[in-house]
Amino acid sequence: MLPLSLLSAAQNKPMDRHVTKLVELKNGETFNGHLVNCDNFMNITLREVYQTSADGDRFWKLKECYIRGSTIKYLRVPDTLLDTVKEEQTRAREAGRSARGAGPVGRGGRGAPPRGRGSARGPVRGARGRGRG
């Protein structure tokens, strides 16, 4: 399981009040809070955050914070969240396998409309191109 897919699946999950995510930055600061949002660059937004300084002697409580993905050293998420996301991914994969071949009607095959220049009768005369026309 990829970290980004785990974070994306974990967004806005209802969770126990005591279940939080830990984020440690490259500079040593740590953030504990509830994951609200993440993007493809692993930038994350946390809510109800407790920030700890790198030396561990200062603490701050923040309502919400945004963390740039390139500054993250590691993330720690609860095992229960890992299990939940794994189950959801396997259910989605199984549902995708059973629905294969049942795509929208009229896509592909010989009945599809022609692509590119021209019409049903052949190329358009006088159109720019390489032909002698």
Side-chain angles (χ1 to χ4, degrees), residues 67-108:
I67 301 172
R68 183 177 169 147
S70 63
T71 63
I72 296 174
K73 183 178 183 180
Y74 74 86
L75 295 157
R76 188 174 66 202
V77 295
D79 292 336
T80 56
L81 183 63
L82 286 171
D83 296 336
T84 304
V85 171
K86 281 181 186 178
E87 289 171 8
E88 287 178 4
Q89 286 182 344
T90 53
R91 270 188 265 135
R93 200 174 306 123
E94 289 171 1
R97 286 183 186 151
S98 65
R100 247 186 216 150
V105 177
R107 301 271 314 199

Side-chain angles (χ1 to χ4, degrees), residues 8-22:
S8 298
Q11 291 182 72
N12 296 315
K13 289 274 186 225
M15 43 178 65
D16 185 15
R17 276 187 88 93
H18 305 291
V19 177
T20 60
K21 281 91 176 161
L22 172 87

